[in-house]
């Protein structure tokens, strides 16, 4: 129901506080770290059951031309729990200055109708 989905979105938004960039699959969140420092995340206000990145994430001091594969989302600046890995699309390499920008991450809580067809 909508109330349950809104609660799920609110709990996620409150828990996803930091982002880390990875050069390949993050595994449990600790593999292939491209930039050691996590960036604080600012989310939009929840609209019904969805929210999105409010301001872009800027990762610096990467290897110019190096790969950027995914962003993991954490509840702490160091250590903590990894709750999501978001695969990147588009131009997935650091620029010539070693910077990489993440401009969009969207979350939408949905449900599906699970019926028994047997």
């Amino acid at each position: 129901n909508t109330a349950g989905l809104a609660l799920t979105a609110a709990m996620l938004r409150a828990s996803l506080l930091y982002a880390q960039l990875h050069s390949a699959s993050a595994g449990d969140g600790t593999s292939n770290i491209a930039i050691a420092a996590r960036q604080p995340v600012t989310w939009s206000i929840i609209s019904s059951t969805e929210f999105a990145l409010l301001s872009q994430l800027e990762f610096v001091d990467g290897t110019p031309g190096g790969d950027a594969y995914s962003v993991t989302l954490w509840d702490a600046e160091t250590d903590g729990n990894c709750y999501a890995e978001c695969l990147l699309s588009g131009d997935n390499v650091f620029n010539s200055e070693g910077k990489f920008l993440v401009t969009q991450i969207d979350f939408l809580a949905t449900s599906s109708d699970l019926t028994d067809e047997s």
Side-chain angles (χ1 to χ4, degrees), residues 46-115:
I46 295 174
S47 172
S48 181
T49 60
E50 61 187 294
F51 61 97
L53 195 60
L54 186 61
S55 57
Q56 68 185 15
L57 300 170
E58 182 178 69
F59 294 93
V60 297
D61 297 328
T63 303
D67 292 332
Y69 176 82
S70 66
V71 172
T72 51
L73 299 170
W74 297 78
D75 63 359
E77 187 173 5
T78 59
D79 298 323
N81 298 296
C82 178
Y83 288 112
E85 179 178 17
C86 304
L87 301 181
L88 300 170
S89 62
D91 183 15
N92 295 337
V93 295
F94 285 90
N95 70 13
S96 62
E97 298 173 349
K99 293 182 182 179
F100 188 84
L101 298 178
V102 175
T103 59
Q104 183 175 0
I105 300 175
D106 300 315
F107 281 91
L108 172 62
T110 62
S111 64
S112 60
D113 181 18
L114 300 176
T115 59

